[in-house]
């Protein structure tokens, strides 16, 4: 069986791209949508309809081919995907104990005339990736301590909001704002010592450690940390 080649909407895996030779794009979704205007007659029955504002919000999933660092990913960067202009809005890096590291990304369609520049962009820190199946503390987001306490998963999100000016459902201008990083972690406790979590420089604990202690199992703890991303100096 021959499968269709996947087109990376955000250019991560293109030659000389941020993840050239490090990631493989394995899944892509267009996530196309549209709005519908409908009118009723005096009896409440539909008498007219028009579809407008068709747009896409593509997403992609990547597998790690080799260990390395992904450099230069920028929230707000605009690329061309299926003739549409798309702004990168979200990047996720997931790690877990016994699970492969995965990377995913999503974006939103913007005005067709966008030349790839934007009044605001947010360049992400270098993303270290590897082929090991480990839960990993990345980006100096936190430190974990406690005898018998083990990190089970650490999932990282980098995201920004995309604001759009529209006319008849068509985007005529856009901008990005309020970018942040978030780390969601889970810890298992195998002894009597509860875990201790400390936020790294620039990070803060937005959701404190919370324990779930089920019947016939070890206690698990979860927490969330956040960091506000700085606007690029040339924005």
């Amino acid at each position: 069986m021959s499968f269709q080649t996947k087109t990376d909407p955000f250019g991560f895996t293109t030659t000389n791209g941020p993840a050239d030779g490090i990631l493989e794009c394995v899944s892509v979704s267009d996530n196309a949508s549209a709005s519908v205007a409908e009118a009723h007659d005096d009896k409440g029955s539909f008498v007219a309809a028009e579809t407008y504002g068709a747009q896409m919000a593509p997403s992609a999933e990547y597998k790690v081919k080799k260990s390395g660092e992904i450099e230069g990913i920028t929230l707000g960067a605009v690329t061309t995907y299926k003739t549409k202009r798309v702004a990168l809005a979200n990047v996720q890096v997931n790690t877990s104990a016994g699970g492969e590291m995965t990377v995913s990304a999503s974006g939103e369609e913007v005005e067709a005339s966008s030349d790839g520049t934007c009044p605001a962009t947010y360049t992400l820190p270098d993303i270290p990736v590897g082929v090991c199946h480990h839960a990993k503390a990345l980006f100096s987001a936190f430190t974990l301590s406690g005898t018998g306490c083990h990190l089970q998963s650490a999932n990282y999100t980098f995201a920004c909001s995309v604001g759009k000016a529209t006319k008849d459902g068509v985007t005529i201008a856009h901008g990005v704002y309020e970018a942040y990083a978030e780390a969601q972690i889970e810890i298992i406790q195998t002894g009597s010592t509860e875990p201790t979590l400390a936020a790294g420089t620039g990070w803060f604990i937005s959701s404190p450690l919370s324990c779930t202690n089920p019947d016939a199992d070890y206690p698990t703890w979860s927490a969330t940390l956040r960091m506000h991303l700085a606007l690029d100096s040339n924005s």
Side-chain angles (χ1 to χ4, degrees), residues 132-143:
C132 58
H133 287 44
H134 299 167
K136 304 189 98 174
L138 300 177
F139 312 111
S140 301
F142 63 91
T143 54

Side-chain angles (χ1 to χ4, degrees), residues 8-12 76-81 83-88 110 116:
D8 181 0
F10 309 106
F12 291 178
V78 178
T79 53
T80 299
Y81 174 65
T83 75
K84 306 297 185 181
R85 299 295 276 166
V86 177
L88 178 64
V110 296

Side-chain angles (χ1 to χ4, degrees), residues 27 43 47 50 55 66 84 105 128-129 138 149 152 155 171 182 214 220 233:
S27 176
K43 298 179 178 62
V47 294
E50 184 170 346
Q55 59 182 335
K66 67 177 183 179
K84 306 297 185 181
V129 298
L138 300 177
C149 296
Q152 297 299 287
N155 298 326
T171 301
E182 186 171 87
T220 58
S233 59

Side-chain angles (χ1 to χ4, degrees), residues 32-182:
S33 65
S35 298
V36 178
E38 296 174 312
H40 302 84
D41 63 12
D42 59 318
K43 298 179 178 62
S45 298
F46 290 116
V47 294
E50 184 170 346
T51 300
Y52 68 96
Q55 59 182 335
M56 63 170 61
S59 60
E61 296 181 359
Y62 307 86
K63 293 290 185 75
V64 178
K65 295 198 297 183
K66 67 177 183 179
S67 298
E69 284 196 340
I70 304 170
E71 301 176 352
I73 290 180
T74 302
L75 295 179
V78 178
T79 53
T80 299
Y81 174 65
K82 293 187 174 180
T83 75
K84 306 297 185 181
R85 299 295 276 166
V86 177
L88 178 64
N90 183 289
V91 176
Q92 291 186 308
V93 180
N94 293 341
T95 72
S96 62
E100 63 180 310
M101 178 181 286
T102 62
V103 178
S104 61
S106 62
E108 297 188 31
E109 183 178 340
V110 296
E111 68 275 14
S113 60
S114 176
D115 61 1
T117 62
C118 181
T121 55
Y122 300 84
T123 299
L124 305 188
D126 294 348
I127 302 174
V129 298
V131 296
C132 58
H133 287 44
H134 299 167
K136 304 189 98 174
L138 300 177
F139 312 111
S140 301
F142 63 91
T143 54
L144 171 66
S145 58
T147 302
C149 296
H150 305 279
L151 188 65
Q152 297 299 287
S153 65
N155 298 326
Y156 306 88
T157 299
F158 297 91
C160 68
S161 296
V162 180
K164 302 178 185 180
T166 63
K167 181 181 184 302
D168 297 331
V170 177
T171 301
I172 58 176
H174 84 284
V176 300
Y177 58 99
E178 62 181 16
Y180 66 91
E182 186 171 87

Side-chain angles (χ1 to χ4, degrees), residues 160-225:
C160 68
S161 296
V162 180
K164 302 178 185 180
T166 63
K167 181 181 184 302
D168 297 331
V170 177
T171 301
I172 58 176
H174 84 284
V176 300
Y177 58 99
E178 62 181 16
Y180 66 91
E182 186 171 87
Q184 294 183 321
I185 66 173
E186 185 175 87
I187 303 152
I188 194 167
Q189 176 187 336
T190 62
S192 59
T193 303
E194 295 183 356
T196 300
L197 180 68
T201 301
W203 292 79
F204 63 93
I205 297 174
S206 58
S207 180
L209 282 169
S210 180
C211 181
T212 299
N213 195 353
D215 180 49
D217 206 348
Y218 295 103
T220 58
W221 296 77
S222 59
T224 303
L225 303 98

